[in-house]
Amino acid sequence: MSDATSAVEWTPDRIKVLIALWEEGLPTSEIGRRLGVTKNSVVGKVHRLGLKKRQSPIRQTSVTTAQPKKVKKAPTPSPTAATLPSGDVVRLEELTNAMCCWPEGEPGTPEFHFCGKASVPDKPYCDAHCARAYVKVSKDKKRIVSGSVAPKVSNDTEAA
DNA sequence: CCCTGATTCGC
DNA sequence: GCGAATCAGG
């Protein structure tokens, strides 16, 4: 490969994840934080992509930071289907409804994979990653890596 | 005061 | 087109 001008390019993979996270209800800050970009970049890209809007400055049904609403019916996506092959990483194509779609690594790279663990009912992520995505944290651990990419996003199991 | 989201301008 | 800055609202 002879080209390596752009460090962070919006590849379909990243855009896919971007939309995925956005659709899931993750705050722009969180998405941008994970991808290593600012919330402005995320929201800008999303806007340009023609995605839907969520919480406009004007009153448009509060979102409450993507709080998982309770559903009356729990289909229970059979976590058994999330039995991923050991030793093999979960790719985007291998993602299932009962799989934790938590992007790890740099989207666009062969190293990029998902958690692949069994996600909790009505939740796109597993118990551990769910807390990471819906964390109410504010300000804080901005882990934006500059220069060399590779934000170890595999940090979970946090215990205060 | 803080955070989230949209919009706009500049590069 | 991407990124950052700015503005608006909750």
Side-chain angles (χ1 to χ4, degrees), chain A residues 28-41 137-146 151-153 155:
Chain A
T28 53
S29 313
E30 184 52 55
I31 301 172
R33 215 163 304 185
R34 332 190 30 233
L35 289 183
V37 288
T38 53
K39 80 178 210 235
N40 301 328
S41 313
V137 235
S138 357
K139 62 212 106 261
D140 13 16
K141 334 145 106 259
K142 234 184 157 166
R143 278 266 44 102
I144 300 215
V145 186
S146 318
K152 290 295 288 298
V153 223
N155 292 325

Side-chain angles (χ1 to χ4, degrees), chain A residues 36-145:
Chain A
V37 288
T38 53
K39 80 178 210 235
N40 301 328
S41 313
V42 175
V43 74
K45 187 74 198 183
V46 165
H47 197 76
R48 188 184 314 127
L49 281 166
L51 271 165
K52 74 171 203 37
K53 307 203 264 218
R54 220 200 249 130
Q55 175 193 15
S56 346
I58 198 88
R59 64 151 115 153
Q60 183 138 92
T61 329
S62 18
V63 63
T64 329
T65 327
Q67 289 292 320
K69 62 201 171 193
K70 307 173 153 165
V71 290
K72 41 177 85 180
K73 187 174 234 186
T76 315
S78 303
T80 47
T83 25
L84 52 136
S86 342
D88 191 36
V89 294
V90 181
R91 300 204 327 204
L92 188 64
E93 289 75 52
E94 292 293 292
L95 256 177
T96 56
N97 316 330
M99 271 196 192
C100 177
C101 35
W102 180 273
E104 295 188 64
E106 269 294 294
T109 54
E111 312 293 302
F112 175 67
H113 65 279
F114 288 89
C115 174
K117 280 160 62 176
S119 50
V120 290
D122 294 295
K123 278 179 185 151
Y125 299 124
C126 60
D127 178 70
H129 285 143
C130 188
R132 222 134 224 68
Y134 298 104
V135 87
K136 196 100 112 6
V137 235
S138 357
K139 62 212 106 261
D140 13 16
K141 334 145 106 259
K142 234 184 157 166
R143 278 266 44 102
I144 300 215
V145 186

Side-chain angles (χ1 to χ4, degrees), chain A residues 10-29:
Chain A
W10 280 108
T11 84
D13 302 82
R14 271 186 119 164
I15 297 174
K16 190 177 170 79
V17 176
L18 170 63
I19 298 170
L21 294 166
W22 179 265
E23 296 262 311
E24 274 162 35
L26 282 155
T28 53
S29 313

